[in-house]
Amino acid sequence: MSLSPSSHLALILCGVLLAAAPHARAQTGASALKPFPAPMSASSSSAGAAEQADFDDYAPLRVSDPFEGFNRSIFTFNDVVYTRVLSPAVKGYEFFIRPPVNRAIANFFDNLRYPVRLVANVAQLKFDRAGRETGKFVVNTIGGLGFLRTAERVPALARIPREDIGQALGFWGISHGPYLVIPVLGGASLRDLSGRVGDTVVSPTGWHYINIGNRDWLDSLDWEWQATLSVTDVMSGLPPNLQLYSDMKKAAVDPYLSVRDATRRYRDRETAR
Amino acid sequence: MQTARTLRFLFVLGFVAVAGMRAAPADDARAALVGGIDEVSAALRAHPSQQDLITLLDTMVDKHFAFATTTRLSIGPAWRDLPLEQQARLTILFSRLVIRTYADQFQSKNPPVVTYGPAQELRAGRYEIPTRAVSDGKTYAISYRMDYDPPSSRWRIYDIVAEGVSLIANYRAQFDPIIHKSGATGLIQTLEAKLADASAR
């Protein structure tokens, strides 16, 4: 992401405005936010009514996708990038950096993104979770410099639902807005994309975009180190995501719709937690 | 006095019996799931080839999976108007696709370590059992939806919900536009093409 701070802010603003616009809400519909499965009536009289209720439980989500044609072409482009460029790159990376080592690296960057989770929790008034996240950060940082997940051994600090800024926007009633597929990064609703931009800004590795936090450690690094840091951050997170994408593609008769449905349901579940 | 005591005893007995009856289906559904997953895990520990795993899963299918229900719900209301031959064909093709997918995903991996939560009733006769599966150091929340099949007197899995994403709902999202556009015939062709493509892989 090489966007200037002002374009970051513009994107967030656009996202918030568009997602809050009444037409977007009408398209997304109430069903998009409906928890799954839908409430069921145990007193369905006839078998026909029970069967209809069954079908209704699994009714497809109404996802606002006004740019579907365009999104599908980016999806096809991304497929080539994932299978022809990133997968071989990840194989090469894994040849040098074995999966257990990579997990430690991924843990390190995940630990580094603690401010994102803190801000997202506080923004949703989830102060208890914000406190637990802080505890987790302290334990992981002291007990393994962020490379080990030491905090998982402490019951109160294990399995904290993961929060991000997209979820915080959802918490305050901002609807998804249109579904968009971005080159390389993949598909998300406008709300979640705006959230991701926010995550990048709040994350310590993104602090050079804006004038907050202590950026000296980052500025003091040569550009080679900064680039290595960014590439390692991205590469360490890639293997599981590429595997998931490949599994979904193999299973799907229409991978675009499969990924779109899964993305939305996954995000709605995360937001509801 | 004696009558009152007898009545009280009968009342308590009745209550216990009813409570026992109510608890039983949830426990049975859970036990059936644990048994099914144990069976698949035991098979995976032998690291079978992909083809062996597909054959093995095929033999377990009727025992543990309610594919007729899975297919019906994945297709939605259009199912009611389909002739029996098409329903049967769709069920066979869809179950093959799902089995192949799972065989692909699990082959060459160690079986995940699964912990089971308490069964929750969804609708009369349907239960959802939340589980946590730990595989390669990562934890996944996977819920299984179980349905009772009277002919075989078995509890069988009809839907799997991974991290909030239901298998049925995900396929329904893909099948709906195809059925809208080219009917069940179109869907049968799509599934056949997908399976042919997957076997060429």
Side-chain angles (χ1 to χ4, degrees):
Chain A
M1 297 272 266
S2 57
L3 294 169
S4 70
S6 53
S7 49
H8 272 308
L9 281 176
L11 250 173
I12 296 177
L13 253 150
C14 274
V16 171
L17 287 175
L18 261 168
H23 74 273
R25 202 171 290 161
Q27 278 169 331
T28 323
S31 69
L33 288 171
K34 193 171 66 178
F36 187 83
M40 296 168 179
S41 68
S43 60
S44 300
S45 48
S46 67
E51 189 177 50
Q52 186 56 49
D54 261 355
F55 290 141
D56 292 346
D57 290 341
Y58 288 108
L61 293 175
R62 284 188 295 147
V63 179
S64 165
D65 194 356
F67 314 110
E68 185 174 339
F70 184 71
N71 280 343
R72 275 185 186 270
S73 53
I74 303 287
F75 187 85
T76 311
F77 168 79
N78 283 349
D79 180 65
V80 176
V81 174
Y82 299 157
T83 48
R84 301 276 166 82
V85 183
L86 290 182
S87 289
V90 161
K91 283 212 178 74
Y93 172 86
E94 284 186 323
F95 179 78
F96 293 105
I97 296 168
R98 309 304 299 168
V101 179
N102 187 50
R103 269 203 290 280
I105 294 173
N107 288 344
F108 174 79
F109 283 107
D110 190 54
N111 192 48
L112 209 59
R113 272 188 282 273
Y114 150 72
V116 174
R117 297 187 289 270
L118 177 72
V119 167
N121 272 310
V122 171
Q124 297 177 74
L125 316 175
K126 293 174 178 169
F127 299 112
D128 170 55
R129 280 186 199 170
R132 287 165 68 202
E133 282 288 357
T134 306
K136 186 174 120 181
F137 175 73
V138 170
V139 171
N140 278 342
T141 306
I142 295 173
L145 298 172
F147 290 103
L148 306 173
R149 291 199 238 156
T150 322
E152 273 182 10
R153 287 184 217 148
V154 184
L157 304 179
R159 288 189 201 152
I160 309 169
R162 183 170 287 273
E163 300 291 344
D164 54 43
I165 291 172
Q167 293 178 55
L169 295 174
F171 175 83
W172 290 103
I174 293 164
S175 57
H176 279 290
Y179 179 74
L180 297 169
V181 183
I182 305 297
V184 188
L185 293 179
S189 67
L190 186 55
R191 177 184 86 196
D192 287 336
L193 281 175
S194 314
R196 275 199 225 169
V197 174
D199 294 345
T200 312
V201 173
V202 178
S203 177
T205 48
W207 281 353
H208 54 286
Y209 291 127
I210 45 169
N211 287 322
I212 60 157
N214 180 1
R215 306 170 296 144
D216 295 347
W217 69 276
L218 205 64
D219 290 341
S220 67
L221 297 174
D222 296 332
W223 72 268
E224 290 96 332
W225 278 106
Q226 290 201 21
T228 310
L229 205 65
S230 301
V231 169
T232 315
D233 184 6
V234 172
M235 292 301 275
S236 66
L238 272 181
N241 288 331
L242 283 176
Q243 186 58 49
L244 179 66
Y245 173 73
S246 150
D247 288 343
M248 287 188 74
K249 197 176 113 183
K250 274 183 208 161
V253 293
D254 186 338
Y256 175 80
L257 290 181
S258 174
V259 170
R260 193 182 77 181
D261 171 84
T263 307
R264 178 59 51 89
R265 287 190 194 275
Y266 175 72
R267 288 299 295 172
D268 283 349
R269 176 172 170 273
E270 293 288 290
T271 307
R273 288 208 294 178
Chain B
M1 190 65 189
Q2 183 66 33
T3 327
R5 202 177 293 161
T6 314
L7 274 175
R8 202 158 56 207
F9 173 72
L10 282 175
F11 176 77
V12 169
L13 195 75
F15 182 78
V16 168
V18 168
M21 268 160 63
R22 284 187 63 83
D27 293 343
D28 290 350
R30 198 169 179 274
L33 178 70
V34 175
I37 290 181
D38 282 351
E39 210 172 309
V40 176
S41 298
L44 284 174
R45 263 181 225 109
H47 294 291
S49 71
Q50 195 214 26
Q51 197 48 52
D52 286 350
L53 190 56
I54 290 177
T55 316
L56 192 87
L57 287 175
D58 266 334
T59 59
M60 291 182 185
V61 160
D62 283 337
K63 204 166 142 198
H64 296 302
F65 290 89
F67 265 117
T69 309
T70 311
T71 313
R72 179 168 56 89
L73 295 178
S74 301
I75 284 168
W79 179 264
R80 294 189 193 119
D81 305 323
L82 298 183
L84 285 175
E85 316 84 76
Q86 281 193 331
Q87 291 185 347
R89 183 78 187 134
L90 282 166
T91 307
I92 289 171
L93 290 172
F94 185 48
S95 56
R96 261 188 221 156
L97 179 62
V98 174
I99 289 170
R100 192 189 298 265
T101 305
Y102 276 75
D104 268 359
Q105 282 178 19
F106 285 118
Q107 198 227 340
S108 81
K109 276 189 199 160
N110 286 317
V113 179
V114 184
T115 46
Y116 300 85
Q120 295 151 8
E121 188 166 15
L122 289 174
R123 196 196 298 290
R126 297 255 173 93
Y127 286 88
E128 178 168 314
I129 296 143
T131 74
R132 284 190 173 277
V134 181
S135 176
D136 289 338
K138 293 204 91 179
T139 308
Y140 303 90
I142 302 173
S143 291
Y144 294 84
R145 295 189 174 164
M146 312 284 289
D147 192 16
Y148 186 69
D149 177 50
S152 64
S153 351
R154 277 186 176 283
W155 284 92
R156 301 191 301 180
I157 301 165
Y158 72 94
D159 192 16
I160 300 174
V161 185
E163 297 288 351
V165 182
S166 139
L167 180 133
I168 293 178
N170 196 263
Y171 276 106
R172 174 95 182 263
Q174 300 171 60
F175 291 170
D176 254 27
I178 300 173
I179 292 173
H180 245 64
K181 203 173 142 211
S182 44
T185 322
L187 183 57
I188 289 173
Q189 282 167 357
T190 308
L191 285 170
E192 282 171 343
K194 176 74 194 176
L195 284 166
D197 180 38
S199 41
R201 200 162 16 88

